[in-house]
Amino acid sequence: MTRHFLNLLDATKDELALIIRRASQLRQMQKAGELYQPFVGRTMAMIFEKHSTRTRVSFEAGMSQFGGHALFLSPSAIQLGRGEPIEDSARVISSMVDIVVMRTFGHDRICNFAKYSSVPVINALTDEYHPCQLLSDIQTFNEHRGSIAGKTVTWVGDGNNMCSSYMLAAEQFDFYLNIASPDGYKPNADLLNRYKHRVQLIDKPAEAVKEAHLVVTDVWASMGQEQEQQKRLRDFAGYQVDENLLDLAQPDVLFMHCLPAHRGEEISQNLLDDPRSVVWDEAENRLHAQKALVEFLLQDKIRA
Ligand code: CP
Ligand code: NVA
């Protein structure tokens, strides 16, 4: 049975903990200049139907550091973009490579691809989930503050793919999650109900951050919602994360944002430079966390 990583429930708590620990080890090895090439001759196909900087660079660089090769496939260059069925594309592409990374719109698209793929498929973001970002966020919290278990995280902003991923993460990494979102942009109700022992809605950001050891936000208009930008700017008024809001949280609070960020919208102009912000480590850890994930999914293909 081929293992995929389409959301955070595709690995057990123990496996996720292992991946995060390994990510920090791989980070140290990389910093020390150690050559570690367990995947010489292996190939990763990367299908990106949306833009990306961090995810693309981290998977591509990571695979190359592992001694393997990553193949970037944009929809405009492959037949998938001209209407070749996803099932056919999955069968063909997976017959030639060892692992597939896919960024797309509806989550059903990646589920369908995975169903017909003979090799592991990693979700590099869908409209519903962004699990790789969470691996990096948890690794980053661990490296700065130790275990996130029992801590409180506050999500401020859109109840989007990142917010849903945080709800699954609360369950998988045993933390509490407060979510402050404006009306019309509340998080997925099914997830909220399923994880109500971990997750609560607190409408006012100032209330929601009170206990927080970590405050997280994201853009107000995600990829594919560009035409709603102006309306969202109005609807999210009062939900900007700024230095004053962080002052209301725990004294050792950290701030994260998956990036790209819009200064002056969901965050204040200089928040990324605030000492409580760890966004650059968070971004860099995409590389190490995903290397750990690829190593985990391809463990039977490691060359001695
Ligand atoms: N955070 C994140 O996934 O960034 P990219 O869209 O640049 O890949
Ligand atoms: N919610 C954002 C995340 C970008 C990494 C989006 O889907 O565009």
Side-chain angles (χ1 to χ4, degrees):
M1 177 89 178
T2 307
R3 293 270 317 250
H4 303 295
F5 189 70
L6 306 186
N7 69 39
L8 285 171
L9 303 179
D10 286 333
T12 65
K13 289 184 181 195
D14 287 348
E15 288 169 340
L16 288 171
L18 201 79
I19 291 168
I20 302 290
R21 270 204 305 280
R22 181 65 177 155
S24 292
Q25 250 174 24
L26 288 169
R27 179 185 168 109
Q28 280 169 9
M29 286 160 63
Q30 184 66 21
K31 300 273 176 208
E34 196 176 315
L35 201 63
Y36 174 58
Q37 301 196 314
F39 297 124
V40 172
R42 305 292 183 202
T43 307
M44 168 187 280
M46 302 166 54
I47 303 166
F48 277 65
E49 298 187 317
K50 289 179 176 174
H51 288 83
S52 171
T53 298
R54 281 141 288 268
T55 311
R56 175 181 177 175
V57 174
S58 51
F59 272 115
E60 214 163 313
M63 200 57 189
S64 135
Q65 289 164 17
F66 272 162
H69 180 69
L71 205 59
F72 182 77
L73 303 170
S74 85
S76 60
I78 58 172
Q79 301 289 8
L80 185 63
R82 289 180 62 244
E84 181 168 14
I86 207 154
E87 299 84 346
D88 299 1
S89 304
R91 281 198 182 97
V92 172
I93 294 169
S94 68
S95 73
M96 300 179 194
V97 304
D98 300 284
I99 192 160
V100 175
V101 167
M102 186 176 195
R103 170 169 284 198
T104 187
F105 291 86
H107 195 70
D108 55 322
R109 270 180 85 68
I110 199 168
C111 291
N112 208 19
F113 191 102
K115 188 168 160 198
Y116 291 92
S117 170
S118 55
V119 301
V121 176
I122 296 176
N123 180 359
L125 182 146
T126 60
D127 290 345
E128 281 79 16
Y129 294 111
H130 194 8
C132 292
Q133 182 68 53
L134 264 291
L135 295 181
S136 159
D137 288 17
I138 304 301
Q139 179 194 347
T140 307
F141 189 91
N142 274 355
E143 289 174 352
H144 283 266
R145 295 284 185 267
S147 171
I148 199 164
K151 304 277 192 204
T152 298
V153 177
T154 297
W155 175 268
V156 180
D158 193 12
N160 62 12
N161 46 5
M162 277 296 300
C163 181
S164 291
S165 303
Y166 261 94
M167 288 197 268
L168 299 194
E171 177 67 13
Q172 295 293 65
F173 294 99
D174 294 319
F175 58 81
Y176 298 95
L177 180 65
N178 295 337
I179 300 177
S181 305
D183 286 341
Y185 302 95
K186 299 286 186 212
N188 180 298
D190 290 340
L191 293 181
L192 207 52
N193 187 44
R194 200 189 309 163
Y195 299 118
K196 53 179 183 278
H197 52 289
R198 293 249 158 238
V199 184
Q200 60 173 333
L201 288 185
I202 301 180
D203 291 344
K204 288 194 175 41
E207 270 304 299
V209 299
K210 263 188 190 156
E211 307 292 323
H213 302 94
L214 170 64
V215 173
V216 196
T217 191
D218 187 12
V219 288
W220 289 340
S222 284
M223 288 182 278
Q225 299 171 334
E226 289 79 5
Q227 72 294 348
E228 297 173 27
Q229 174 76 20
Q230 289 313 315
K231 175 173 165 37
R232 284 171 175 258
L233 277 180
R234 292 190 297 275
D235 293 348
F236 280 90
Y239 283 81
Q240 184 184 82
V241 179
D242 62 13
E243 291 80 350
N244 295 333
L245 190 70
L246 293 188
D247 288 345
L248 303 175
Q250 292 289 308
D252 63 346
V253 70
L254 293 177
F255 171 73
M256 292 190 199
H257 187 311
C258 62
L259 306 180
H262 292 187
R263 291 170 173 84
E265 293 181 19
E266 78 278 3
I267 52 162
S268 54
Q269 206 59 39
N270 298 317
L271 193 69
L272 300 187
D273 306 314
D274 188 279
R276 294 166 289 190
S277 158
V278 288
V279 294
W280 309 122
D281 282 345
E282 180 190 7
E284 183 192 321
N285 279 340
R286 298 294 305 279
L287 170 68
H288 311 297
Q290 288 155 204
K291 282 172 74 178
L293 174 66
V294 168
E295 191 188 42
F296 171 76
L297 290 171
L298 292 183
Q299 51 194 290
D300 56 343
K301 293 201 167 176
I302 291 177
R303 297 193 199 279

